Amino acid sequence: MSDAAPRESAELRSDRPHPARIYNYLLGGADYFPADRAAAEAGLAVNPGARIAARANREFLRRAVTHLTRDAGLRQFLDIGSGIPAAASPHQVAQALAPETHVVYVDNDPLVVTRGRALPSGHGSIEYLRGDLREPDDVLRRAGTTLDLRKPVGLLLLAVTHHLRDEDDPHALVRRLLDALPTGSYLALSQVTSDLEPAGWRAVAEDFAQRGGVLRPRSRADIDRFFDGLALVEPGLTLVHRWRPDERDQHSGEPDALVSIYGGVARKD
């Protein structure tokens, strides 16, 4: 996430790396600028596992949305910090199982919104909004024009909370979103940890800071706090490639230290 205010008219900053575009580069996409590629390559130079972490996280996203659609019966998703549209996006996964599913994507990079709004109408009921996790009330108000927030929602916060500073109080921001959602809603969240590869992730975080960005790896205990008061589904909070791996995964056998992202799915009772 950038530090810019989440305005629809905000100028695209191609000279400054943005996590959504860095993530796109790590996933093998083409929607990035030289500044994003330079930041990604600098991160890989000090932590070669960053590319594996991004791709394992993407597989976790697919499995989590599959579970929430097929097994939990959700038909609404709010994906904040969604990133640039890519293969196996939540609407593709969910609508393949339930075509009536509604998905609202929120990101503060204008390129994400531009790419998302250019998707063919045949993709079903989806909406892309320019917004910021740090402004949860604004996100909820605008998402509520597409989603029925009186009915269960799948809140997706995948690889986004580590772009919040501690002083942003990310746990309170997540709690504000959850408090606005009804019983039967779910949280799917993943976040980088430095528990397993502290030197590598510390170096990446320092490089982010030098480029004007934020990367804040957190301990497993700190990540577990995002799920306070919720009922975690099995296998609980775990490294993302260990969360219900299936035959489609390409990274389920990777060493834990190369993944270094914890994730979980939990229900609001």
Side-chain angles (χ1 to χ4, degrees):
M1 298 172 61
S2 74
D3 293 328
R7 298 188 301 271
E8 290 281 349
S9 60
E11 180 183 358
L12 177 66
R13 290 288 304 272
S14 62
D15 61 324
R16 182 174 179 175
H18 189 284
R21 302 191 300 261
I22 294 172
Y23 191 58
N24 183 262
Y25 178 86
L26 294 173
L27 292 177
D31 279 314
Y32 54 83
F33 297 106
D36 307 303
R37 182 178 62 244
E41 289 295 341
L44 289 168
V46 295
N47 185 5
R51 178 176 280 118
I52 291 172
R55 297 183 179 191
N57 183 71
R58 193 70 185 181
E59 292 178 343
F60 168 68
L61 169 62
R62 173 185 58 78
R63 299 193 308 274
V65 172
T66 297
H67 168 74
L68 293 175
T69 306
R70 182 188 62 205
D71 303 325
L74 293 187
R75 298 295 181 264
Q76 302 189 108
F77 290 91
L78 175 57
D79 185 355
I80 304 176
S82 59
I84 294 165
S89 288
H91 72 275
Q92 295 171 317
V93 175
Q95 291 173 356
L97 297 166
E100 70 274 21
T101 301
H102 302 295
V103 182
V104 171
Y105 295 101
V106 180
D107 204 286
N108 67 7
D109 182 11
L111 183 62
V112 173
V113 178
T114 298
R115 292 289 186 265
R117 291 178 177 172
L119 291 174
S121 58
H123 281 251
S125 181
I126 61 173
E127 178 66 49
Y128 274 82
L129 301 177
R130 176 105 160 94
D132 197 302
L133 176 56
R134 293 167 297 186
E135 298 186 353
D137 292 331
D138 177 69
V139 168
L140 290 163
R141 177 182 59 80
R142 296 169 64 210
T145 64
T146 298
L147 305 178
D148 184 349
L149 300 183
R150 298 168 300 179
K151 298 180 179 179
V153 175
L155 175 61
L156 308 178
L157 299 174
L158 281 298
V160 62
T161 55
H162 49 241
H163 295 302
L164 295 173
R165 299 178 175 88
D166 290 343
E167 50 265 40
D168 292 323
D169 199 350
H171 296 93
L173 293 173
V174 173
R175 177 52 52 190
R176 174 68 190 93
L177 292 164
L178 288 168
D179 284 348
L181 301 180
T183 297
S185 295
Y186 282 78
L187 170 66
L189 179 146
S190 63
Q191 143 96 49
V192 165
T193 182
S194 57
D195 288 356
L196 304 176
E197 194 66 41
W201 284 106
R202 183 168 56 250
V204 175
E206 290 171 353
D207 185 75
F208 256 74
Q210 291 171 4
R211 297 171 191 271
V214 176
L215 182 71
R216 175 67 171 86
R218 292 185 168 89
S219 68
R220 187 186 188 284
D222 280 343
I223 298 168
D224 190 49
R225 287 180 53 210
F226 287 115
F227 298 95
D228 283 354
L230 305 178
L232 279 158
V233 300
E234 292 296 330
L237 180 64
T238 185
L239 292 165
V240 290
H241 64 317
R242 307 295 184 197
W243 196 92
R244 302 191 179 195
D246 62 27
E247 68 282 353
R248 293 181 57 185
D249 291 332
Q250 298 181 21
H251 297 89
S252 58
E254 297 288 356
D256 290 354
L258 287 183
V259 175
S260 287
I261 298 182
Y262 282 114
V265 176
R267 186 180 190 273
K268 179 179 179 180
D269 291 326

